[in-house]
Amino acid sequence: MKKAWIVMLICLLAVLPAAGLAEGLDAEEMLPAAPAQKLELKTVFQYMPSIKPLSGTGLVLVESKEDNTLGVFTSKGEEVLPYGIAAVNVLTNGFLSVSLDKEAVNGLAIYKNDGTKVSDYAYGSITVYDSRWVAGIVLADAPEGEKDLTVNKVNYLIGQWDLYFVSEEGVSLVASLDRQQFASAKQHGDYISIQNRDGETTAYDRQFKPALKELKDVKTSYYQVKNYQIISKLTNKAIAFGFTEVAEADLPTRSVLIATALGLDGEKIQGILDTDGNELMPTEYKVVTMGDPYVVVANASGLRGLYSLAEHRLVVPCEFTNIVASTTSVNQYVNNGYVCVEKDGLRGFVDARTCTVTCPPAYNSRIAKAYGSSIAFDGETGFVLIAGDGTRTELHDVTEIPATNGDGTLLVAKKNGFYGMIDWHGNEVLPFIHKTVITLTFDSQSIIRTSTGVELDEIVGR
């Protein structure tokens, strides 16, 4: 009889899913077999000391198991920067600061997210103006009581300011200025205004040729309104008519103009033009927040919507008090085709493809956390998941939904003491067999999980 029980136990172990042993679970801790529907994964890295997603990008920072240096890779495992790095920081507008020695005062290099090298390891501070203009600052010791900037709680003077222009054609070092020649700067599309320490401000083009002089300061616009005409100071020519005010707006890849006119009721309304005067958005709204390609706008009643400069139309009607910006994804507003909106403190969704409300605002923004195209909150009888298409799912057996990166179509959850993943309709897509929390990359392309070491798995087919 004893022998028969042993044979039965061996047979039972043979049919248990291999995934159940991935993290060293004891037989008595084993969970039920994974459901039929699950993610198809392709292992990219395995047994690594650490893998971390780089915020707001589709990149991951991987620690080498040979020498513990760092390398930068795409979420699919393609090399962007090889191992050998000591530290990487995500800057704005697609730039990275990279160091080989974290203790070096002037040891930072500038790279693009795609691995394009902008500078050598020569700077103590980096200033990104937009996706084209970026500057590296060589730090110099500051006498007692003086400083231009503070880095790691130490005061420094600017020893040298190097300005780069980055485009599809390549990278060019536009200028190298000393402290007297540089005090501040601001980009204006393909031009940049620089003020020296005598207070003189000049606008330069990308070849560093002076284009405008005697500007009041670096913020002074290159455009003005005279007799309801928008005049370019660069050409002294009118580019648009019928406006009372104009302001520049600097987007990551271009500069545009916010042009103001008076409506029939005497109220101010705004449109958006390119720098040649071509209409990008009709003069019908008020601009709340500029972005590219999406602009948060408001109607005469102050209700907000979302306008696409690329599609030349509203993708969210002006019916809401807030358009929720995503902090978990590479996309700020539209994720999986949906936009999270608020009306009087309640959250819902709009389908950006049809400009229709798919989930009327009904969920308190104080507890309903937005993850791209879904929101989740801990309700009275368990977690509640709301998908952008309006599907509501009660997750009675889920005890935690930790902060999740990505577009909201996949979420990390915890059940029976173990972590797994669900889709935005609550379907289990990765079994709940993980002792430690799973991390999704910001582009929703891969997951990072711990078994023996840290593993990166690409989600195949997304």
Side-chain angles (χ1 to χ4, degrees), residues 148-276:
D148 291 330
L149 68 167
T150 301
V151 177
N152 296 328
K153 300 182 180 180
V154 179
N155 295 335
Y156 293 99
L157 297 182
I158 294 172
Q160 182 173 301
W161 184 79
D162 289 345
L163 178 65
Y164 296 87
F165 188 85
V166 183
S167 66
E168 292 181 358
E169 289 78 39
V171 177
S172 59
L173 175 59
V174 174
S176 293
L177 306 181
D178 62 27
R179 183 174 183 270
Q180 182 59 32
Q181 294 170 312
F182 172 81
S184 62
K186 186 181 184 305
Q187 84 285 4
H188 297 256
D190 282 347
Y191 298 84
I192 190 165
S193 291
I194 299 175
Q195 187 174 70
N196 63 28
R197 294 195 179 271
D198 293 327
E200 300 167 338
T201 303
T202 303
Y204 297 91
D205 65 15
R206 55 190 293 183
Q207 282 77 41
F208 210 64
K209 294 178 181 178
L212 288 172
K213 294 185 177 181
E214 299 181 359
L215 297 172
K216 180 181 178 182
D217 54 38
V218 296
K219 295 180 180 179
T220 301
S221 175
Y222 297 174
Y223 300 85
Q224 61 183 338
V225 173
K226 289 184 178 180
N227 299 322
Y228 299 100
Q229 301 178 94
I230 297 178
I231 308 294
S232 168
K233 296 179 183 178
L234 296 167
T235 64
N236 291 318
K237 293 182 179 179
I239 62 169
F241 305 87
F243 297 98
T244 57
E245 300 173 36
V246 65
E248 290 180 47
D250 295 301
L251 303 178
T253 60
R254 56 179 170 166
S255 183
V256 298
L257 304 177
I258 301 175
T260 302
L262 294 178
L264 296 177
D265 58 359
E267 291 292 319
K268 290 182 178 182
I269 50 177
Q270 294 175 318
I272 298 176
L273 313 175
D274 66 18
T275 52
D276 292 324

Side-chain angles (χ1 to χ4, degrees), residues 370-391:
Y371 300 108
S373 60
S374 61
I375 54 180
F377 59 93
D378 193 355
E380 295 181 359
T381 60
F383 274 88
V384 179
L385 177 62
I386 310 298
D389 62 6
T391 303

